Amino acid sequence: MKVALKIAKAELNTLFYSPIAWLLAIVFLFQCGLTYTGVLQNYLTYQELGGPYLRVLKMLTNLVFTPPSGMFGTVMQKIYLYIPLLTMGLISREISSGTIKLLYSSPIKIRQIVFGKFLAMMGYNLLLILIIFIFVITGLFNIHSADLGLMLSSLFGIYLLLCAYSAIGLFMSSLTSYQIVAAMCTLVIFAALAYVGTIWQDIDFVRDLTYFLSISGRTNRMLLGLISTKDVIYFGLIIYIFLGFCIARLQSQRESKSAIVVAGRYIFIFFSALMVGYITSLPPLVGYYDATAGNQMTLTSNSQKIIAQLGDEPLEVTSYINLLENNYWSGQPEQRNTDLNRWLPYMRFKSNIKLKYVYYYDNPIYVARPIPGVRIAKRKEDENVKLTAQKYAKTFKVDLGDFKTPEEISKIIDLRPELNRYVMQLKFKGKTTFLRLFDDSQVYPFESETDAALKRLISKLPKIAFLDGEYERSKDKLSDKEYGQLTSLITFRNSLVNQGFDVENVSLQTGEIPADISALVIADPKTAFAPAVLAKIQKYIAGGGNLLIAGEPGKQSILNPLLSTLGVQIMDGVLVQKAGDNPPDMLKPLFTKNITNINKGLQKQLTDSVGVSMPGVSGLTYTIGGPFLIKPLLMTDSSQNWNKKGKLVVDSADVVFSAADGDTKAAVPTVLALTRQINHKEQRIIIAGDADFLSNKELSRGRAANFVFGIDVFGWFTYGQFPIDTNRPESEDKHLNVTDKGLITLKVLFLGILPGLLVIIAAVFLIRRKRK
């Protein structure tokens, strides 16, 4: 080891007594300074603009430093260009000058020579890391509560990558006496290792091998703050392979051995690395360390509890992928490793998750709405599914024989209820459920949807019953007025069925209210309740059942008899507002401070004054002192809104306030929350003067909180158990401690003073070297 250290010292002297090492360090410092100040200036602009732009300033440490737009991301994109210029002469210089023969004849061992030169590169790489560390220290002052753990993890990942690049460059330098050729060959190997993970991905064995060898994206998790033994060992194995190749190469030049023996050395090095890599990448043997503040790269505590409840029994995930469906792109064999990465956060806590894939072809079923209120399953016009599949197979260059026919897949599983889409079936202890892909930009399920599917396998889920029999709003239909999107649309990520709820219809004309439901929904009944139906509802309320009642203007006579027992009444008339861009009956009442009792996450909507759109809403009145504690959740603005009596005509003259006609101005509630203690639990009831706020049309309206409010109301009925809370505490690094003047100072420092100082130091070293 002493000999290797002496060689390393001599090699470092050689490096720093040459212009190239200094030039690269200066350019690297300038590049880092330019990127850091540029990114900082962008977010400082957002901070100074204030208002809605402040929402961008979350997790500033990630924004300023990590990929894709942060400083580390830019460094990673260009750093591979530096190393070949440094490594190209490490051994090729010895070969071209003939000094390698002196080394061969000396008592120094080949491995000492190789290790010494590699240690020299490790030292230079450490200099580059120290340059980056200058910006890490600066970031600690410029960013309030900066995430130091994240930045140190990133530095570790960058250093491992630099060392791996150095080992590759060292080996390529041993192959030729021409330094330029060595540098070019090093770049070729870098490109090959980055590209190898994309070839032959449709072949299982080859896919696993090429994915292991690929260096592309290996530092991504470390740059985001998650260090795994799998990634660390990978870089160690790359270094082992290329240093081993270098030793074998120089040894073969020193000794006279047969080609078989020489080839055997290379093969042993390569396959021993593969064996170690395979063993250490097995899920049970992979260790993780989340260096981020708040463990941002780790599943939330609720997710971990669900995984713990699964125990030691294996979880089987079978993906059914349809060649003719749009999401086939995401399910191709080439995407298997991407799919594996999505499951890695769960495999970290449950290593026996088995991923399987079944490919088939069948006509996809599309959800359409050509007729208001009617949900239609429409097949593609080309009914000859086999001909269509043959055309798709030719386009995708796949063998149709690898896909099950509609008849074959139907014998295994009926996927028609899932619209013949790409879907994952989770199987645990004989129970199965589906985890779906969604029609949004993210496509794949998030942590909350995955948790909800897992929860279905191990526990009973809350059930929401929708009253059906008096022409109430439908939980299945997708027309504007209905509730299908919020409740049962499987392609919508945030529908109740995808967030851990079961939904069903119930008719009290022929049946009873199920005893196991979490809440009963009565949404805009069009006809009066029969006495028997009303008695059943009242019995349900008296027993402590949770309830959501949503009325509409003009339907007061239908619901008020029921509401009177609760101490609530729907006011006569309709609430309107002053003339503006919206119709006079389109109100957006604002949340009251009581809304945080429903869900603390609604505090943001309360603070930002984001209302709930209610087209056609009646006010509510209530009495105090009854059995229920009644709290308003949404209130109108008395300066803008009033209650209009009589018939409202919105398509003629402007609607104006008229006290003579019975109009009244006052802030009135449009949604109330009722609670009381009964049968050893808290009974919860929501009453709304509008049924449209949960409709398909209003959920898609912009700049309104209808969706989040609706989901949280149903979550309130489950006492916070669903939807599963996967929210994380808001990051503290959301403010920059720098001004415009301070930024100018940083630019002068990083783009002028420090590079200039490094130039002066380099000049002193090089001049002294020349004099000697």
Side-chain angles (χ1 to χ4, degrees), residues 160 217-222 226-236 286:
L160 288 178
R218 284 288 179 172
T219 58
N220 285 353
R221 280 189 287 268
M222 281 186 274
L226 182 65
I227 301 173
S228 71
T229 56
K230 178 181 177 180
D231 292 332
V232 173
I233 292 174
Y234 168 81
F235 286 109
V286 179

Side-chain angles (χ1 to χ4, degrees), residues 116-133:
K117 291 181 177 293
F118 179 70
L119 286 173
M121 282 305 304
M122 289 182 66
Y124 188 84
N125 294 339
L126 191 60
L127 171 64
L128 298 181
I129 294 299
L130 289 175
I131 290 175
I132 301 177
F133 190 69

